[in-house]
Amino acid sequence: MAANEPAPFSTEWTSALMERAQGVLVEARDAFVTPEIGLQAVVILVAFGVSWLLRAPVRTALERAFGWQFMSRVNSTTRDLVLSLILPVIAFVVLTLTRIGFDQAGLGSFAINLAASLTGAWVLIRILTAFIAEPFWSRTAATLIWFVAALNIVGLLAPLLGLLASVGFDVGDSRISLLTVVRAAILLVVLYWVASRISKLLAARVEQVPTLTPSARLLITKSVQIALLVVVVAAALSIAGVDLSALAIFSGAVGLGIGFGLQKIFSNLISGLILLMDRSVKPGDVITLDETYGKVNALGMRFASVVTRDGLEHLIPNEEFITTKVINWSFSDEAVRIKRPVGVAYGTDVPHAMQVIVNAANSVERVLNKPETRCLLRGFGDNSIDLEVRFWIADPQQGVNNVSSEVLLAIWKAFQAEGIQFPFPQRDVHLDARGPVRVQIEKGEG
């Protein structure tokens, strides 16, 4: 910057901006504050009042028309759009007829023509933005586009763009102004919306490919989303006129800030990509992580959704699956073996009890016949003979504890039918018979 050039946002620059704004206000006052404009303003208010009175009967007539049989194919979104545009459409028609009348009478109609143009622009923009599914973004886009169109209609768009372009700073050989920032932000929003629509269409197509596994589908979808996001940001900055090479001086500071401030986020992102590529955990798997047992409902780029048997949905960071021991009940084979201890009383015919246990476990519907159910003698405890039943199931996603409960209940019923006794704690008390036994009872006070 030269020595004689005023610094941005200095006193001289602010004074020049204020003088320019005052000049625009004076010109606007001289052009619009006249008796002719005042008459047209009153006519515009009357036109909107008449439109408001006509709104109710027209809405009633349209609602009846939508009830006709040949109109039943019109969806609810189109109906809501048509009903919401009743007032501006009527106002546009009334203002247009009024302008024609003023022109025929030889009167000025600048303000009326301006109001009609703005109303017509709003109707057209609202129809075009109705294709945006989200109501909030649809209305926001319609408002912003109409605001720009209104500035263009009244002739203030070019001066405003010039004012925004004059406020900024130089970065190398490029200049970043408020106009550049606004243009980049608008382009970023528009391109991001387009990219998200493309991503959803691609995801729907990928889901229809039967040869791809769920992990491969998710990996393709997420990779495309990341690639589209990078392309959108680069394209928005490039189209807005920002020289990307001029931003290289900020890369070191930005990279350092990302490294320290967003390390957990990037750790989860990389962990998510690793999980998708090695398929160690994928949607549909039944896993146990610490105290969480459930089915993997979805894998995101930052976390995994695990739904437990209680219906609770746990959002577990992807990093936990990389750094923590995870039990995947259906990693290579959905068939899993479950072991449950069973005790019988001393004096029981152990081989017979073991066969009864095997038969009872096999009577449960979810227990597999192959591999075979087995019962093992594990040891001799203080009060019981310790057995263990081992059985297989092929659907751990349907629950493990519930099938264990069914097996143990079947064993209980089989023991009752066969007269096999469950153990209970036993204690032997030995009395010294060499002398008399003294029994002393002490009464408490009160």
Side-chain angles (χ1 to χ4, degrees):
M1 182 179 295
N4 57 353
E5 184 179 351
F9 306 103
S10 63
T11 305
E12 297 180 3
W13 187 90
T14 305
S15 300
L17 181 62
M18 293 297 297
E19 292 178 1
R20 185 173 180 179
Q22 290 176 0
V24 173
L25 291 176
V26 170
E27 293 177 1
R29 183 190 61 188
D30 296 339
F32 293 101
V33 184
T34 62
E36 184 178 3
I37 296 298
L39 174 62
Q40 296 179 41
V42 173
V43 172
I44 292 171
L45 292 176
V46 172
F48 275 101
V50 172
S51 303
W52 178 263
L53 294 177
L54 294 176
R55 173 178 173 271
V58 172
R59 183 183 181 90
T60 302
L62 286 176
E63 289 177 346
R64 291 178 180 175
F66 282 127
W68 296 342
Q69 184 175 1
F70 73 93
M71 296 289 287
S72 59
R73 297 182 179 179
V74 181
N75 56 39
S76 58
T77 303
T78 304
R79 295 180 185 180
D80 295 340
L81 176 63
V82 172
L83 295 177
S84 66
L85 293 176
I86 292 176
L87 179 60
V89 169
I90 296 176
F92 174 74
V93 173
V94 174
L95 288 171
T96 302
L97 296 176
T98 304
R99 178 184 60 79
I100 295 174
F102 266 62
D103 292 341
Q104 293 294 330
L107 300 175
S109 59
F110 171 77
I112 299 176
N113 184 49
L114 180 63
S117 300
L118 293 176
T119 306
W122 171 254
V123 173
L124 180 61
I125 293 169
R126 188 67 185 88
I127 293 175
L128 294 177
T129 56
F131 294 99
I132 302 177
E134 297 81 1
F136 171 78
W137 290 112
S138 176
R139 295 190 183 95
T140 302
T143 303
L144 292 177
I145 297 174
W146 180 84
F147 178 72
V148 174
L151 292 176
N152 186 45
I153 291 173
V154 300
L156 296 179
L157 182 59
L160 178 61
L161 294 179
L163 179 62
L164 294 176
S166 63
V167 181
F169 56 91
D170 295 328
V171 178
D173 296 333
S174 301
R175 177 173 177 78
I176 298 179
S177 62
L178 284 180
L179 179 61
T180 304
V181 175
V182 172
R183 186 184 300 169
I186 295 175
L187 288 172
L188 182 61
V189 172
V190 173
L191 292 177
Y192 178 77
W193 180 80
V194 174
S196 63
R197 300 282 83 77
I198 295 175
S199 177
K200 288 184 178 180
L201 291 176
L202 179 62
R205 285 297 186 91
V206 170
E207 288 295 330
Q208 297 175 358
V209 180
T211 57
L212 293 177
T213 62
S215 298
R217 295 172 185 172
L218 191 59
L219 178 61
I220 294 174
T221 303
K222 296 303 180 182
S223 299
V224 170
Q225 288 179 353
I226 294 175
L228 286 176
L229 181 60
V230 174
V231 171
V232 161
V233 174
L237 294 177
S238 179
I239 296 175
V242 178
D243 187 5
L244 298 180
S245 61
L247 301 179
I249 59 175
F250 298 106
S251 60
V254 172
L256 187 62
I258 291 176
F260 284 101
L262 303 179
Q263 56 180 344
K264 281 293 183 181
I265 295 178
F266 278 95
S267 175
N268 287 315
L269 288 175
I270 300 301
S271 299
L273 291 176
I274 294 175
L275 291 175
L276 291 174
M277 288 187 292
D278 65 11
R279 300 179 59 195
S280 57
V281 176
K282 53 188 180 296
D285 283 350
V286 179
I287 60 100
T288 299
L289 177 64
D290 291 335
E291 300 297 327
T292 302
Y293 168 83
K295 179 180 179 181
V296 179
N297 183 43
L299 272 179
M301 295 305 295
R302 190 178 62 85
F303 59 83
S305 168
V306 178
V307 180
T308 66
R309 298 290 296 171
D310 298 326
L312 300 177
E313 189 166 7
H314 295 256
L315 304 181
I316 303 175
N318 292 329
E319 185 183 11
E320 296 292 326
F321 292 95
I322 302 297
T323 59
T324 308
K325 180 181 178 181
V326 179
I327 300 175
N328 191 334
W329 294 79
S330 53
F331 176 61
S332 58
D333 188 358
E334 289 191 353
V336 296
R337 187 176 69 175
I338 302 175
K339 299 182 291 184
R340 290 293 180 266
V342 178
V344 294
Y346 280 98
T348 302
D349 184 353
V350 176
H352 176 64
M354 295 172 66
Q355 187 60 45
V356 170
I357 291 174
V358 171
N359 295 337
N362 289 333
S363 67
V364 177
E365 182 179 0
R366 290 177 56 193
V367 175
L368 300 178
N369 293 325
K370 296 291 183 179
E372 297 179 354
T373 302
R374 299 190 64 187
C375 184
L376 303 179
L377 175 60
R378 300 293 292 172
F380 302 98
D382 293 338
N383 305 302
S384 67
I385 301 175
D386 299 331
L387 307 178
E388 184 179 75
V389 58
R390 299 180 177 183
F391 57 92
W392 293 78
I393 62 173
D395 52 355
Q397 65 273 11
Q398 301 298 329
V400 174
N401 291 329
N402 53 2
V403 70
S404 299
S405 175
E406 293 178 12
V407 170
L408 294 178
L409 181 60
I411 293 174
W412 170 271
K413 293 180 179 179
F415 277 16
Q416 293 293 321
E418 296 291 334
I420 300 175
Q421 297 294 323
F422 285 98
F424 55 89
Q426 301 181 16
R427 296 292 183 267
D428 294 333
V429 179
H430 297 275
L431 300 178
D432 188 0
R434 292 175 296 178
V437 177
R438 289 184 59 186
V439 178
Q440 183 176 353
I441 299 177
E442 296 183 358
K443 294 183 178 180
E445 297 180 357

